[in-house]
Each structure stands twice: as C-alpha cells, then as structure tokens.
Amino acid sequence: MRGRQGSAAVDERYTQWKSLVPVLYDWFANHNLVWPSLSCRWGPQLEQATYKNRQRLYLSEQTDGSVPNTLVVANCEVVKPRVAAAEHIAEFNEEARSPFIKKFKTIIHPGEVNRIRELPQNSKIVATHTDSPDVLIWDVEAQPNRHAVLGATESRPDLVLTGHQENAEFALSMCPTEPFVLSGGKDKLVVLWSIQDHISTLASSDAADAPKEEEKEKEKVSDSPKIAARGVFEGHDDTVEDVQFCPSSAQEFCSVGDDSCLIFWDARVGTSPVVKVENAHNADLHCVDWNPHDVNYVLTGSADNSVRMFDRRNLTNSGVGAPVNKFEGHKSAVLCVQWAPHKASVFGSAAEDGFLNIWDYEKVGKKKEGSRMPNSPPGLFFQHAGHRDKVVDFHWNASDPWTIVSVSDDGESTGGGGTLQLWRMSDLIYRPEEEVIAELEKFKTHLATCGPKP
C-alpha cells in the first residue's frame, strides 16, 4: 500500500484534475471496475447515430479466484465530438459504473487475461495471453454468453496456438496485412503463427455445424483445435515483453525484452535477428509500437521511465541504441506506448505513475513563448491525469479520432478493482493555434453582441 503522504498527493492531484475536466475534455466517461482489467481494446463499430456511435469494447476481469477470470465483451456508446455539454462531462461518480458501458457477453477464461488483441481483418476474432505457454483465439460473437460463478466450466477457445516452451504472458500482436499472430514469452522466444487455414471456419456465419451451447460447455480447452508455429525466433537473452508487426509486412516484426534490447526480425531471411539494438534503454523494455503512417519509426517504453523513438534506417551508434528522440515526462516505468491511428506524429504513453501522456514529435524543438504547457517536456502536449494508480493499458479508437479508452489497476491505492475511462480531449488543445484563436475571437465577438446594452 502507498504511504499516507503518497495517497494525499494523489488525492490532491486528482481533485485538481477533476476541477479542470469540463475545460480539458470534449467527452469523458468513468467506469468503476469490481476487478482489475489488464487490457482494454476497441472492437468493431456497430452503429452510427446522430449524437453517438455504438461500438464493441473488450476487457478482462482479473479476479482473486472467488469467481472465474473472464474476457468481457461490452457495448459502448461513444458520444460524438462537440455534443457533450460541459456540465455533463463534469458530472461523474468515481465509484459508479458508467451508463455509456453495458456488459454484452462474458467468456469464462482459462486463467488470467493478461493481454487482448483483435484481428485487424476481422475484429470479432481476438487473441488472449494468459498464464500459460499457449495463445488462445476466440470468436467473441460465436462464443456462448456465460455466467461467471465459482465452479463454472471454462469457455472453450476456438483455437489454441502452441510453440512456447514457457509462459508467454504479455507480448502479443496481430498482423495488419494477414491473419498472423506474434507472441513473446519467458522462454526468450518470439513465435509466429498463421491462422489462415482456420480463419474461414472461424469467420463463417454458418452455425449449422457448430456444437450446441450445452455441448460446447462440456468440452475443455484441451479439445480446441491447435496450430503449431510457423517460425520460432531466437535472439533475446531474457523475457520478451512486447512484440509488434511492421504495419506493411507480415514477415517483418520487432520485439523488446528485459535484456534492454530492441530486435528487428524478417521471417523471409531466417529465425535470427536482422538487427539487434543493444542498450535501447538503460533498463528493461516493456513495450514497443511501429508507426502505421511511417514504417521507419518505432517507439519503445521502458522501466527507465522514458519513451524513445528509433529510426530503423539508423538504429545504432557503435552497437549501442541511438534513438532519434527521447521523451522524458513519466516518473515511473512506462507500460504501454501506441501511435495515434489518425496523425503520424502523435502517440500516447501510459505508465505506473498513473499518467497517460499524449506527445507530438513534431512539436519537439518548436516550443514558443507563452506555449500552453510552458514547463512540459519537449513534445508533450496533453496529460491525462484521471487515473489514481498505474495505467496498465490504453487504446486509440480508429473509428473515432482522438478518442481513447484507458484502464488502471487500482489495487495498490484502493485495495482492489480498477478504473476504465473513455475520453476525448477538447479539440482546442490539438488544433492549430491560429485556428483556435480565430474561433475564440468569434465567441468574444458573439459575447459582446449578446451582452447587456448600455
């Protein structure tokens, strides 16, 4: 548990943040979780309406064993830009569940859910990492809805991917160009699979051959069809913490690990590293992401509290990692980094300090006098401070620009549970300054004409 002084500082920071919510956000929703969730992902958009869109959301419940661990499929109402009124944004109860999020389906997961990743070619198909060597594949729409009570039988995955020799708990990626899956584990290996052969049966809407729900419940995980690895890649000297496909190729990928290395691989040339960047950071690397708009840029996040940006055309200097930029704004280990899907230079980073920082590398070195965040580290232009404890995962919404889902594990500060938040910063924060000033001037003129006549 944190000391009294630490929690008082967190309370003060939170109170200050909460008072600014109507100014900082275009939309904000807070959802209290009974159990922590270590992963949160947007699923497909289901419906568009006048003021809001309906979308799937994937979460997990990391329980204490009194009830089973679950993979949760939720329906979420995403309010459109410039729709929510400031007073509504400010009115949320920290302890309550949000009316914007409704649980749609529960899958009883064999073991903890450490990571969830959706398949870009069919976002109803998700992969999960658990506390075992296997990667589990789920068709979340076809899976029966289960009641998570003690003693309930586990849901049966649609596929099990085998190939790790030890537990693989966090490093997981789905390929943007083909139905390939990548994983890393404690065995220091990076493992690649193709689910091509099974994708047609997984995605099939013809349920006539599918086992009836009662039969499916009787089947075990061990009955699921298994897929062996297409490639096993060796080069790390410690646990592989994260993996990522190149956005334009199913054969190229990268990985990071507790050996402080960033490694680039190419399945076409073999199972050894193509480039091994030693000392990419001064500590364990926790996360990596590859820029979908410019495949030369890769981000890494580390236990040394920093985010670094590498250019793969020039990765090392005398064998040591030579990042093109270092982003130093967190006060503890960085757990998750992700490029924004809608703007090439923007990315987010989440850390154990409870902050989710939004950066723009184009702003580095361009700080003007009177800037909106004068004392901030170069590149940082927004800091989400709505979580009281470590932010373990977040995901940009590709269907709704600038909208983010983030989740914190509040175990240390509250003794259990977690907080899920859906939010979109005010567009006055990221739009060009001239545009914003012009819009505010209009308001000023409007207010002048609306004011009391002398």
Side-chain angles (χ1 to χ4, degrees):
M1 291 291 282
R2 289 186 178 169
R4 216 171 270 175
Q5 203 177 346
S7 63
V10 170
D11 286 345
E12 191 182 329
R13 179 188 97 184
Y14 187 86
T15 307
Q16 188 184 2
W17 168 80
K18 198 168 176 180
S19 69
L20 293 170
V21 164
V23 183
L24 295 175
Y25 297 87
D26 176 64
W27 179 55
F28 178 83
N30 189 89
H31 189 68
N32 187 264
L33 301 169
V34 178
W35 301 109
S37 177
L38 294 189
S39 204
C40 57
R41 301 292 288 184
W42 294 106
Q45 196 174 67
L46 305 172
E47 194 185 324
Q48 295 192 345
T50 314
Y51 299 113
K52 52 194 179 187
N53 300 325
R54 206 152 58 88
Q55 194 165 351
R56 288 272 196 261
L57 195 60
Y58 304 133
L59 306 163
S60 64
E61 290 179 318
Q62 206 88 347
T63 70
D64 61 0
S66 58
V67 290
N69 290 294
T70 64
L71 172 61
V72 175
V73 183
N75 282 341
C76 170
E77 305 282 343
V78 180
V79 175
K80 287 189 174 180
R82 298 207 163 197
V83 167
E87 60 270 19
H88 290 169
I89 297 170
E91 284 169 12
F92 67 89
N93 176 357
E94 282 175 65
E95 308 304 320
R97 307 217 137 190
S98 168
F100 294 105
I101 298 165
K102 299 267 190 303
K103 200 179 269 193
F104 168 72
K105 184 180 280 189
T106 301
I107 293 165
I108 297 181
H109 198 271
E112 300 177 342
V113 184
N114 296 325
R115 191 140 300 177
I116 306 163
R117 290 290 178 265
E118 69 294 341
L119 190 65
Q121 298 83 12
N122 181 350
S123 53
K124 297 181 297 191
I125 309 294
V126 304
T128 55
H129 250 326
T130 183
D131 40 3
S132 90
D134 298 333
V135 176
L136 308 180
I137 303 289
W138 307 86
D139 180 338
V140 290
E141 298 299 318
Q143 282 285 333
N145 188 18
R146 307 290 302 283
H147 193 45
V149 292
L150 187 61
T153 51
E154 293 167 348
S155 297
R156 176 178 170 263
D158 292 273
L159 287 174
V160 174
L161 311 185
T162 62
H164 276 294
Q165 295 162 16
E166 289 179 55
N167 285 4
E169 295 178 347
F170 292 103
L172 185 63
S173 178
M174 299 287 235
C175 177
T177 58
E178 289 183 52
F180 283 17
V181 182
L182 195 61
S183 163
K186 287 185 176 175
D187 52 11
K188 309 170 191 172
L189 302 176
V190 173
V191 184
L192 175 71
W193 297 269
S194 166
I195 52 176
Q196 192 90 47
D197 310 339
H198 293 263
I199 207 77
S200 52
T201 54
L202 269 184
S204 158
S205 56
D206 179 14
D209 303 328
K212 292 196 173 64
E213 211 161 290
E214 312 81 74
E215 290 169 27
K216 203 162 184 176
E217 287 195 18
K218 288 177 199 153
E219 293 172 337
K220 298 187 188 70
V221 177
S222 55
D223 300 330
S224 299
K226 293 181 171 54
I227 299 185
R230 217 175 232 219
V232 177
F233 300 80
E234 295 184 52
H236 279 286
D237 300 320
D238 207 335
T239 300
V240 180
E241 291 284 357
D242 201 10
V243 288
Q244 197 62 245
F245 279 99
C246 173
S248 59
S249 164
Q251 306 297 329
E252 294 175 79
F253 36 92
C254 63
S255 57
V256 295
D258 291 345
D259 53 4
S260 304
C261 291
L262 161 65
I263 297 183
F264 288 83
W265 313 84
D266 188 333
R268 293 165 299 194
V269 298
T271 57
S272 299
V274 174
V275 183
K276 184 170 183 174
V277 182
E278 297 191 357
N279 302 111
H281 284 256
N282 309 323
D284 298 359
L285 273 72
H286 290 319
C287 46
V288 64
D289 197 27
W290 205 316
N291 193 320
H293 301 278
D294 185 338
V295 294
N296 289 312
Y297 293 136
V298 169
L299 289 173
T300 54
S302 164
D304 68 7
N305 309 351
S306 76
V307 175
R308 296 186 176 182
M309 183 169 116
F310 288 89
D311 183 333
R312 69 172 176 158
R313 294 163 296 189
N314 182 20
L315 289 162
T316 57
N317 184 4
S318 312
V320 174
V324 284
N325 269 316
K326 293 182 186 180
F327 301 92
E328 295 173 327
H330 287 290
K331 293 183 174 64
S332 52
V334 178
L335 301 177
C336 183
V337 288
Q338 199 203 351
W339 290 102
H342 52 275
K343 191 167 192 290
S345 58
V346 171
F347 64 90
S349 63
E352 286 182 359
D353 58 9
F355 287 106
L356 201 169
N357 288 342
I358 307 294
W359 310 79
D360 185 340
Y361 70 73
E362 286 184 346
K363 291 189 186 321
V364 174
K366 288 188 184 168
K367 207 189 281 190
K368 293 185 206 148
E369 285 303 313
S371 113
R372 294 171 207 176
M373 290 174 74
N375 302 318
S376 62
L380 179 67
F381 72 96
F382 188 81
Q383 195 163 49
H384 177 62
H387 292 285
R388 289 176 176 270
D389 213 324
K390 52 183 177 293
V391 182
V392 288
D393 200 12
F394 75 95
H395 192 198
W396 293 91
N397 191 335
S399 309
D400 208 306
W402 295 97
T403 305
I404 287 175
V405 58
S406 54
V407 70
S408 58
D409 177 349
D410 303 340
E412 281 187 36
S413 52
T414 63
T419 304
L420 179 81
Q421 294 178 341
L422 309 171
W423 53 276
R424 186 191 307 116
M425 71 178 84
S426 163
D427 61 11
L428 299 177
I429 293 166
Y430 58 80
R431 280 167 50 209
E433 214 154 318
E434 318 73 65
E435 222 179 88
V436 170
I437 289 165
E439 182 171 325
L440 295 177
E441 280 296 330
K442 253 189 266 172
F443 275 109
K444 207 160 106 183
T445 323
H446 178 66
L447 288 172
T449 57
C450 295
K453 301 281 180 282

